[in-house]
Each structure stands twice: as C-alpha cells, then as structure tokens.
Amino acid sequence: MTETPKIFLTGAAHEHRTLVPLDRHLRAHGVWTAFDTEREVVDDILAEPTLQDLGACDAAVVVDTPSAGADEVVRAHIRTAVSFGKPVWRYEPGAPGAIDRLLAKCYGTGPVPGRRPPTHLAVVPGSWRVCGDDDPGVFDLDLGADDTVTGRCTAFGVTGRVTGRWSFDAGQEDVTLTLEVTTGLVPQPAVLELHVIGHSDEAILAEEAHGLAIRRVYTLSRRSS
C-alpha cells in the first residue's frame, strides 16, 4: 500500500448515511477517498472521472448491504476495479471493529496514523478569491451570511457570472462551493469540495476533499469588497 492510501468508496444509492461518516473517518486518518458522484453507466461503461479514480485507487471498498449486490452502479464499480487489478474489500456497517480493520488494511504493515490535527482556520462570510494550482479558473466570490454565493469566474480570458451556495463544516474543516457559472445562455455547474490543510501568508490552503487521479490545492484569500 502507498504511503497515502487511495480508496474508492461505493455503496447502494441510499447508503449516503453510511458512506459519509466512513469517508470522514478515513480522511481524518490521512486516507484519500473518492466517490462516484455521477452514478452513470452507459453501455456498461462508467463516467470518465470515475474510471480515472478507479484506475488510481489502491482498493475499492464496498458498503456490504443486501441492496449493494443488486445495485447496477455498484456492480459496475466492482467489475471495473477487478479489471484494473484492484482488490475489492467489503465493509460491513455496524460490525464491531469494522472501521479499525479497514484502516489497518489501508495502511498494510505500516502504523495507522492518529487523527489529523485541526488547523483552526475558517472560511467565513465575505469576499474571497479562490484559485487552484492546476485550474485555469479564478473565482472572485462574495460568500453571504445566508449561504448564498455571487461573483465572477475568469478562465482563458473569459469572465462569467457566478451564483450558488456555500457551506463550511468547522468540525471537518471542509468548505463546499456549489456554483453555476454563466458565460453564455446556459449556466454550467461547478462544485468545489475542499478540505483546509493550512495557510500561506494570509491565505488559506485547501486541497480537494475527494479524488484520486487528480487532487488540486486551492488558495482562498480574502479580498476587499
């Protein structure tokens, strides 16, 4: 297993209540995770980002419930992971010690690290600039106290109007930006799920919370209104 384990998580469509705490626990101990947010299978082929994450993972973990075995998308995840030569592990929610055994599998013969210490940094309402280290888009956003987002995004010399919503989970130190960027007639969705990892000068550094094939680091800096 790699120094930073990379785990693809899958389960039946209604297993959100199990996948979210499992994901959070794994990430708190340094594991990189990914989900299939699209849950699309066309001609037995998954969406390209999901294929990339399955190709990059060290193992696929299935939330082992009766409904998972009948779920077409879960079966596609398992089939694709096996075709890539990846191990498929079963996670039985609620079984005593299941999550500790899973963490031990993730780290193999190495020690399981303790929980990641908090940074005590926070994203608060106000005006922010958000830009990634490998992302052509620069977002100048106004984060409202009512969780709304307005602003603009500039990429490749083109500027679009941004609307949407945002949230900051102080316990997890996760910030989520669910945006729509309009440069023409049809708004385009843009979702950033970021985890705060530290700071540089007066800016907050945050990495993508999920994803195995590509994981960018973003800079969030306050700007004058």
Side-chain angles (χ1 to χ4, degrees):
M1 193 65 70
T2 58
E3 183 178 344
T4 300
K6 299 178 179 180
I7 301 298
F8 185 92
L9 299 172
T10 184
H14 66 276
E15 293 294 347
H16 186 74
R17 287 182 299 177
T18 300
L19 282 170
V20 169
L22 174 61
D23 167 67
R24 288 181 171 183
H25 192 85
L26 293 176
R27 289 198 295 122
H29 288 272
V31 177
W32 283 14
T33 63
F35 295 100
D36 180 357
T37 56
E38 302 295 327
R39 287 187 59 85
E40 291 183 355
V41 183
V42 179
D43 296 330
D44 291 331
I45 299 175
L46 295 159
E48 183 62 28
T50 302
L51 291 174
Q52 291 179 3
D53 281 334
L54 281 164
C57 77
D58 295 312
V61 172
V62 180
V63 175
D64 195 6
T65 61
S67 54
D71 190 295
E72 176 191 7
V73 177
V74 174
R75 292 201 304 268
H77 292 157
I78 295 171
R79 184 171 61 249
T80 304
V82 171
S83 74
F84 287 153
K86 309 295 184 176
V88 177
W89 300 337
R90 304 282 177 172
Y91 171 76
E92 184 179 352
I99 200 161
D100 292 329
R101 289 193 297 273
L102 178 56
L103 270 172
K105 265 189 168 183
C106 289
Y107 282 97
T109 58
V112 175
R115 294 183 68 86
R116 184 166 41 198
T119 66
H120 302 294
L121 300 170
V123 178
V124 298
S127 298
W128 293 82
R129 169 163 287 187
V130 181
C131 52
D133 59 2
D134 188 27
D135 188 330
V138 175
F139 294 88
D140 289 311
L141 304 176
D142 293 316
L143 307 183
D146 58 354
D147 300 337
T148 59
V149 179
T150 57
R152 64 184 185 271
C153 173
T154 302
F156 302 111
V158 177
T159 298
R161 181 172 59 88
V162 176
T163 58
R165 305 196 70 82
W166 74 285
S167 64
F168 179 71
D169 184 328
Q172 290 294 122
E173 296 188 325
D174 287 345
V175 58
T176 302
L177 300 165
T178 306
L179 310 173
E180 285 190 338
V181 181
T182 304
T183 56
L185 295 177
V186 181
Q188 297 298 316
V191 178
L192 296 179
E193 294 181 315
L194 307 176
H195 176 73
V196 174
I197 56 175
H199 65 89
S200 175
D201 298 325
E202 296 183 0
I204 291 176
L205 299 179
E207 68 177 7
E208 290 179 317
H210 300 100
L212 306 177
I214 300 173
R215 184 166 289 216
R216 300 181 179 92
V217 174
Y218 283 78
T219 300
L220 292 79
S221 52
R222 296 299 297 267
R223 61 184 181 84
S224 56
S225 302

